[in-house]
Amino acid sequence: MTSGGSGGAASMPVGGAGPDADLPIPDDPVIQTPAGPIRLEPWSDRVIRVIHTVDDKPRATKSLAVIQERPKVPFKVEDTATSVKVSTKLVSATVEKATGKIVFFDASGKTLLAEPDGAAHSLTASAADPATYQSRQSFLVEDGTELYGLGEHQQGHMSYTGLTTTLQQKNGEIGVPVLVSSGGYGLLWDNPALTTVDAGGRAVTVPSANLFGADDQPGGLTAEYFDGQNFEVSRLKRQEPMVDFSWLMSPGGGVAADHFSARFSGSLLSTMAGEYGFTVTADDGARLWVNDKLIVDDWAEHPEVTHTAKIRLEANKKYKLRLEFFENAGAARILLAWHPPDGTRQMIWESEAADAIDYYFMYGPEVDEVIASYRSLTGPPPLFGRWAWGYWQSKEHYDTQAELLSIVHGYRERKLPIDGIVQDWFYWDPEPWGSHHFDPKRYPDPAAMTAEAHQNHFKVLLSVWAKFEPGSANYQALDAAGFLMSPKAPSGTAYYDPFTEPGRKMYWQQIQDSLFNKGFDAWWLDATEPELNAGPSLTDPIWGEFRHFQTKVGSGATVFNAYPLMTTTAVYEGQRAASPDKRVFILTRSAYAGQQRNSAVSWSGDIRGDWPTLKAQIPAGLNFSLSGIPFWNSDIGGFVPGSPLTSPEFRELYLRWFQFGAFCPMFRSHGSGGDREMWRFGPEAQATLLGVDELRYRLLPYIYSTSWRMRNEGYTLMRGLVFDFRSDPEVLDIADQFMFGPALLINPVTDSGATSRAVYLPANTEWYDFWTGTHQPGGTHITAAAPIDHLPIFVHAGSIVPLGPVLQYATERPCDPTELRVYRGADGKFELYEDENDNYNYEKGMRATIPITWTEATQTLTIGAVQGSFPGMLTNRTFNVVFVASAHGAGRGETPTPDKVVAYSGAEVTVKEP
C-alpha cells in the first residue's frame, strides 16, 4: 500500500460532520492490486470516492460534474495482510489486496454494496477513442433492492432493476450517471462518456428452443409479412427461429423493402419463475403482447429505439406471445430479446471512453441524504424567481410579435393566472440559424414586445440554440475564434464548443448583446444533446454524432453526455455576471450531473400527444429527480398531427395532462397541432383548466418554501415514493404516484374515460383526502374518485400546508392572508420561506423564515418567531388556521370559516385545537 495526501478545503458537504476527536485525517490509502492501483478518498462521513487507474498517476481530465473543494474529513485506515479498510463515522470501504474486490459497509458492519468475486473492474482499449480506455465496473444487487435515477428515460419503468439502460443524450432521453438504491446508498459515476448501466437486465435474443409457432410447432414463431404499414396485403408466411433481423433490403418472398409490416405470433416457454425483462428494438413501430397483455406499445416512425418491459412469469409454462412491427423506409431492424430471472443480479457500468474508473459511493440511508451528498459534490440549485413557479404558455410556435402580445392580453383580460409566455424557434427567419436576429417584418420591435409583456406582468422565455448557420456575424465570430466544433455539416452548419471558458463567454456575450439587452427574461436552450445526429434542414444530410467530433478538451466520445451541462453553464454564469437583479431561468432538453447548479429545468423532449406517452412521463420525471436534479417538466399535451382541439378525446387527454403538469416543478403547456391557450378548449374545459391553475397559484407559498429547502437542505420537490416511504416495500416500484413536496400525494389519471383510479396509500402514516377532508388509514389500496375536473390528492397526517390567495401572477401581492391547513394525527412541521422574489440578495442573508410546528400530544400549533429579514417583508400578517376534517378545510377554495384567525407580527404564537 502507498499513500497520497487528503488535501482540500475545510468546508463540509450537506450530510457530513465536522472533525471528530476519535478519528484522525490520515493520508488516502492507495492499494496495489493485480488490476492496478485503487485509491480511496473520504469526502464526507457519508461519501467515499473510489479511483481505479492503470497506474497511480492523477486523472488526465478534470471532473466536469464535481466542483466541490474536497473537505478535510476525519477517517481511519486499517491495513492488514489481506485488506485495507477505510472508515468514517457512518460508512466504510474494504479493498482485498489479492483481488481488488471492494465492499462498502454501514457503521454497524452491514454490507451495503459489494463487488462480485473475480474481475469486477477493468480498463481496456477503447474503440471509441484510442487515446483512452473502456471502463467496466460491476457490483452485486441484493434481492429486493430497487434502483432509480440515471436521468430521464421513456420506457415507463420506475425501477431499473432487471433492465439495461444506455446513458446517451437524445431527444427524449437524458443520461445522468447518478443511481439511487432503495438499499440506502447512491453512486455518482464521474464519467460523461456514453455509458451503459446493466442492472441485471442484459438481454439475449429469445432462443428458438423457447418459441413455438401459432400451430404450436416448436422452434420459432409464426411470421406473416404484409405490404403496407398496417397489415394490408399478406405476402409471406413462415416460421422464424428467432426475431433478430436487420434487413438492408426486403425480408424476401415478394415483400417490399419499404412500407411493410410483420406479425410474429405463437407462444413462449418460460424457464424459471420470477420477473422477466423483455427488450424490443425496432427502427419504426413495434408492439408486444404476452398473454394478451400489451407490454410494449410504440406504433410510430422513428430511428432505432429499444423498449424494455418487465413481467412476472411462472416456471416452465407456455405464454401466448404476439409481436407486431412496421417499417417505413430504409434498412429495417427488429429484435426480441429477454432476460430470465437467473439468480443473483449484477449491476454493471460500462463507459466507452475513460482515463480511470472514478465514482463516489454516497451513503444515506435515506434518499434525501444521498441526494444531499450528490448536491454537495456537484453544487446546490439556486432559487428561481418566484415568477418561474407560475404557469407558462407555449406552443410550436408563435409566429409574430402581434400574435404573442395578443396571447398576453388574452390571459389578462380573461383573468386566467399566468406568469410567462414562450417564444419558440424560427423568429429569426429569413436570417440564418444562430443569428439572434428577429425577422423585422414579423417582429418589428422585440424590445417593445418584451416591455409590453412586462407591463402586463409577463416574463418572456426565448428559444436560443447552440447551432449556427453560415451567414451571420455570430457564426463568423465563433468560427474565427475557433469555437465551432468540427466537422461542420456540408452546408457549413456547426455547433459551438462550450468546453472552454472563452468559448462559453463568447456564446453568452452574443446572447447578451442581441437578446438579453432587449429585455428577455429566460432562455430555452434547445437541442443541447447536441442534436448532431439530425441534419439542420431537409436538404442537408446527417453529419454525424457528437462522439465523432472534436472539442477543445478532447474527443466528443470523452465528454459525450456533458454538452448540456457546459452550455447551460455559459448562460448561467454569463447572466449572473451581467445582472445580479434577475435570477437566471433556463429550460433545456438535456442534462448532465451537476446541471442543477445552473438554474436549468429539463423537459422530456418532443413527445407524442397520446395516453401511453402521458403515462410514461411520470416515472421519467421521477427518475430524473432521483438523479439529483430537481427541475423537470413535460410538454403538456405533446405533439399531435393536424388540429386536434376540436376532438373530445384530445381535450380529455389535455385536461389530464394539465392536472399532472400542475404538480411538476415547471408548469408549462407546449406542443403542436393547434393553439394551446386555455380558452381554445371551450367554456367547460376552460373552467376545469382554470381550477387547476388557481390551485397551483394557491400553493405558491408551499412550493416557494420547498424551493428554499432544495437550495438549503438538498431536498427534492417531485418525489418518487421511495424518498419518503423506503421501508414500505409496496411503494418501491410504483410508477404513477408521487409526493409533491412533504405533504401532497399526487395520483395522475392516465387512462381515457376514467372517473376513478387505484391508489396505494403508503403505510406507517394516515391520510386525508384533499378534496373532501375525509380520513383514510395507511398501508391500504383504495379506489379513489377522479372526476374530470381533478386528480386524486391525499395529504399525510402531520402535514402543515400553507395556501395563499388566488393570484393573477406570482408577485401580484404578498401572500396575505395565508391559510394554514393542519392535518392532525402526527407531529408535523413546516418552514415558511420568503425573500424579495427575484435577485440574489438571499445569498447575502436577505431572507426570512417562519417555523410552524404541530404537536399532536398537546394538540398545539406553534407559529414561531420570524427568523431574518429582507426589504419589503410583511411586518404584520394574518394566518387563517384550519384543522382539516371531513368537509372542512377541503378542496382548492379558501375555507370560509377558519378555526382561528391569527394576527402575526413576528413573535411566537400558539394555537390550541378547538
Side-chain angles (χ1 to χ4, degrees):
M1 184 185 81
T2 61
S3 297
S6 60
S11 61
M12 294 301 296
V14 173
D20 189 297
D22 296 333
L23 294 177
I25 304 178
D27 290 337
D28 299 321
V30 179
I31 302 94
Q32 302 298 333
T33 75
I38 296 173
R39 178 185 292 268
L40 300 178
E41 296 182 354
W43 279 59
S44 83
D45 285 341
R46 300 182 187 277
V47 177
I48 296 178
R49 181 188 184 189
V50 178
I51 310 169
H52 167 54
T53 55
V54 294
D55 52 37
D56 195 24
K57 294 179 180 179
R59 283 194 58 182
T61 57
K62 182 180 179 181
S63 175
L64 298 174
V66 177
I67 61 171
Q68 183 189 27
E69 290 289 333
R70 184 179 169 196
K72 291 184 181 296
V73 179
F75 66 97
K76 64 180 179 180
V77 179
E78 299 173 64
D79 189 351
T80 72
T82 59
S83 67
V84 176
K85 183 177 182 181
V86 167
S87 302
T88 72
K89 290 195 299 183
L90 297 177
V91 68
S92 63
T94 297
V95 180
E96 293 181 0
K97 293 179 178 180
T99 64
K101 179 179 178 179
I102 303 173
V103 184
F104 297 92
F105 306 90
D106 68 13
S108 71
K110 176 186 175 183
T111 299
L112 298 167
L113 182 66
E115 292 183 343
D117 295 331
H121 46 259
S122 64
L123 291 163
T124 56
S126 169
D129 184 343
T132 68
Y133 302 97
Q134 177 172 313
S135 63
R136 185 180 188 275
Q137 172 69 58
S138 59
F139 301 101
L140 297 173
V141 180
E142 290 189 0
D143 290 344
T145 299
E146 305 294 348
L147 304 173
Y148 313 96
L150 301 181
E152 176 233 275
H153 305 279
Q154 299 280 343
Q155 307 305 319
H157 304 298
M158 191 64 231
S159 170
Y160 293 108
T161 302
L163 302 174
T164 299
T165 304
T166 300
L167 307 186
Q168 179 180 16
Q169 313 294 23
K170 295 180 180 180
N171 186 350
E173 296 280 312
I174 299 176
V176 179
V178 176
L179 179 142
V180 173
S181 167
S182 64
Y185 64 86
L187 294 174
L188 166 58
W189 179 260
D190 196 6
N191 186 331
L194 190 150
T195 298
T196 299
V197 184
D198 174 10
R202 182 147 298 181
V204 297
T205 304
V206 180
S208 59
N210 294 85
L211 296 175
F212 298 79
D215 57 358
D216 207 31
Q217 181 70 23
L221 296 171
T222 300
E224 188 170 6
Y225 298 87
F226 301 79
D227 290 341
Q229 295 177 193
N230 284 287
F231 317 104
E232 292 156 23
V233 178
S234 178
R235 290 290 185 187
L236 173 66
K237 195 171 186 178
R238 64 190 180 200
Q239 190 167 22
E240 301 285 13
M242 293 185 290
V243 181
D244 187 0
F245 300 108
S246 294
W247 290 298
L248 296 177
M249 302 300 291
S250 87
V255 180
D258 298 325
H259 305 291
F260 72 89
S261 48
R263 180 180 290 121
F264 304 87
S265 57
S267 58
L268 172 144
L269 178 65
S270 63
T271 54
M272 61 187 68
E275 190 173 67
Y276 285 68
F278 282 87
T279 294
V280 175
T281 299
D283 69 333
D284 281 314
R287 295 186 290 230
L288 175 66
W289 290 263
V290 176
N291 262 20
D292 296 320
K293 180 179 181 180
L294 183 64
I295 62 172
V296 172
D297 185 10
D298 181 12
W299 206 247
E301 298 173 15
H302 49 64
E304 184 175 308
V305 171
T306 295
H307 294 277
T308 56
K310 294 186 286 188
I311 189 170
R312 188 165 293 277
L313 304 180
E314 298 176 22
N316 301 312
K317 182 178 177 180
K318 282 186 180 179
Y319 289 85
K320 184 179 177 183
L321 187 143
R322 183 166 93 253
L323 171 66
E324 295 181 346
F325 165 70
F326 84 79
E327 170 62 25
N328 177 39
R333 173 64 170 152
I334 179 66
L335 165 72
L336 174 64
W338 71 347
H339 185 288
D342 54 0
T344 302
R345 295 187 187 274
Q346 290 192 26
M347 170 179 31
I348 304 171
W349 295 72
E350 290 183 298
S351 293
E352 68 174 17
D355 59 0
I357 293 173
D358 190 348
Y359 64 90
Y360 295 79
F361 176 88
M362 302 174 292
Y363 174 60
E366 300 307 326
V367 175
D368 280 315
E369 293 165 327
V370 173
I371 298 301
S373 291
Y374 156 80
R375 302 236 189 101
S376 294
L377 293 166
T378 61
L383 288 181
F384 293 151
R386 197 179 189 96
W387 44 270
W389 297 104
Y391 174 61
W392 291 83
Q393 182 62 62
S394 181
K395 74 167 187 176
E396 199 283 310
H397 61 279
Y398 296 117
D399 198 48
T400 68
Q401 179 173 329
E403 182 188 12
L404 185 143
L405 290 174
S406 73
I407 303 306
V408 168
H409 291 292
Y411 269 93
R412 290 290 173 247
E413 290 163 0
R414 292 172 174 84
K415 297 190 181 303
L416 302 170
I418 189 169
D419 268 88
I421 191 164
V422 180
Q423 174 62 62
D424 200 357
W425 62 353
F426 285 119
Y427 53 82
W428 54 78
D429 191 53
E431 292 281 345
W433 216 311
S435 65
H436 299 164
H437 290 169
F438 282 80
D439 177 4
K441 294 181 180 179
R442 295 182 293 127
Y443 299 87
D445 193 342
M449 178 178 73
T450 60
E452 187 170 337
H454 293 163
Q455 290 167 6
N456 286 273
H457 307 287
F458 267 74
K459 304 293 184 181
V460 185
L461 188 154
L462 182 69
S463 173
V464 180
W465 292 58
K467 180 168 73 174
F468 295 84
E469 292 178 349
S472 71
N474 288 349
Y475 182 98
Q476 293 169 359
L478 288 163
D479 197 23
F483 296 142
L484 294 180
M485 291 191 301
S486 62
K488 297 174 183 176
S491 66
T493 298
Y495 273 74
Y496 99 102
D497 185 344
F499 289 96
T500 64
E501 186 176 1
R504 294 192 295 273
K505 284 186 172 180
M506 180 174 283
Y507 177 68
W508 164 254
Q509 193 64 52
Q510 293 178 349
I511 294 172
Q512 179 178 333
D513 293 346
S514 298
L515 302 173
F516 189 57
N517 289 343
K518 290 182 172 64
F520 289 96
D521 304 284
W523 313 104
W524 184 345
L525 303 184
D526 207 343
T528 51
E529 293 82 13
E531 195 176 52
L532 285 163
N533 58 333
S537 72
L538 294 176
T539 59
D540 209 350
I542 293 171
W543 84 87
E545 224 184 25
F546 182 38
R547 68 209 314 178
H548 304 134
F549 280 63
Q550 287 297 315
T551 76
K552 292 293 185 182
V553 297
S555 69
T558 61
V559 292
F560 186 92
N561 285 318
Y563 193 97
L565 171 68
M566 303 317 295
T567 201
T568 56
T569 296
V571 172
Y572 176 74
E573 292 182 347
Q575 185 178 320
R576 283 291 310 251
S579 173
D581 296 326
K582 181 183 291 186
R583 294 181 192 167
V584 181
F585 186 68
I586 296 169
L587 175 65
T588 187
R589 197 168 70 188
S590 198
Y592 182 67
Q595 196 155 306
Q596 71 283 345
R597 64 180 181 251
N598 291 337
S599 287
V601 180
S602 292
W603 96 97
S604 61
D606 301 333
I607 50 177
R608 297 197 307 273
D610 57 34
W611 291 98
T613 302
L614 167 58
K615 189 169 188 176
Q617 298 316 293
I618 305 169
L622 297 179
N623 273 301
F624 188 79
S625 292
L626 280 157
S627 306
I629 307 176
F631 306 131
W632 179 90
N633 73 133
S634 64
D635 290 342
I636 294 175
F639 283 68
V640 289
S643 299
L645 298 188
T646 57
S647 160
E649 292 78 15
F650 180 77
R651 292 188 194 187
E652 181 192 9
L653 172 68
Y654 188 83
L655 293 178
R656 292 306 196 185
W657 208 318
F658 197 84
Q659 291 165 358
F660 165 60
F663 294 97
C664 293
M666 187 181 186
F667 182 23
R668 178 187 60 95
S669 170
H670 185 73
S672 67
D675 297 328
R676 297 297 178 93
E677 295 79 38
M678 289 188 202
W679 59 87
R680 309 291 189 184
F681 294 85
E684 185 176 348
Q686 179 181 321
T688 296
L689 296 171
L690 175 59
V692 176
D693 192 23
E694 288 182 342
L695 177 57
R696 172 76 175 206
Y697 276 81
R698 289 211 69 202
L699 283 167
L700 282 181
Y702 175 84
I703 295 170
Y704 198 62
S705 297
T706 303
S707 78
W708 170 245
R709 291 189 66 186
M710 291 192 283
R711 163 70 182 184
N712 196 45
E713 301 175 19
Y715 194 72
T716 300
L717 176 63
M718 188 178 184
R719 306 168 62 79
L721 297 183
V722 69
F723 269 105
D724 298 290
F725 308 102
R726 187 174 65 90
S727 62
D728 183 352
E730 287 279 336
V731 311
L732 296 183
D733 204 21
I734 291 179
D736 62 350
Q737 300 178 233
F738 61 95
M739 295 296 294
F740 187 68
L744 305 178
L745 176 64
I746 307 301
N747 308 278
V749 178
T750 59
D751 293 317
S752 178
T755 57
S756 65
R757 62 149 291 172
V759 169
Y760 176 70
L761 299 175
N764 302 318
T765 186
E766 297 176 336
W767 296 88
Y768 291 79
D769 187 319
F770 175 83
W771 299 104
T772 66
T774 55
H775 185 267
Q776 300 275 1
T780 56
H781 294 268
I782 66 169
T783 299
I788 191 61
D789 65 348
H790 71 251
L791 80 175
I793 303 172
F794 292 86
V795 188
H796 71 76
S799 295
I800 301 168
V801 179
L803 297 168
V806 172
L807 304 171
Q808 290 301 296
Y809 53 95
T811 57
E812 181 182 15
R813 62 184 187 275
C815 285
D816 187 46
T818 299
E819 183 175 322
L820 292 179
R821 294 191 181 176
V822 181
Y823 295 83
R824 294 164 294 176
D827 291 345
K829 63 181 180 179
F830 190 88
E831 186 174 72
L832 188 66
Y833 172 86
E834 293 178 328
D835 60 20
E836 295 174 271
N837 299 318
D838 216 340
N839 72 46
Y840 289 95
N841 288 339
Y842 72 89
E843 294 178 345
K844 304 171 185 176
M846 296 183 187
R847 57 183 186 261
T849 57
I850 301 174
I852 307 168
T853 59
W854 168 252
T855 305
E856 180 69 17
T858 61
Q859 296 286 286
T860 303
L861 181 74
T862 302
I863 304 172
V866 65
Q867 313 281 319
S869 65
F870 59 90
M873 70 179 286
L874 287 174
T875 55
N876 295 286
R877 64 193 306 156
T878 300
F879 287 111
N880 292 330
V881 178
V882 178
F883 297 102
V884 175
S886 181
H888 180 62
R892 66 172 175 265
E894 295 182 12
T895 303
T897 55
D899 295 298
K900 180 72 172 181
V901 177
V902 176
Y904 180 80
S905 57
E908 180 178 299
V909 178
T910 59
V911 178
K912 284 281 192 177
E913 190 273 337

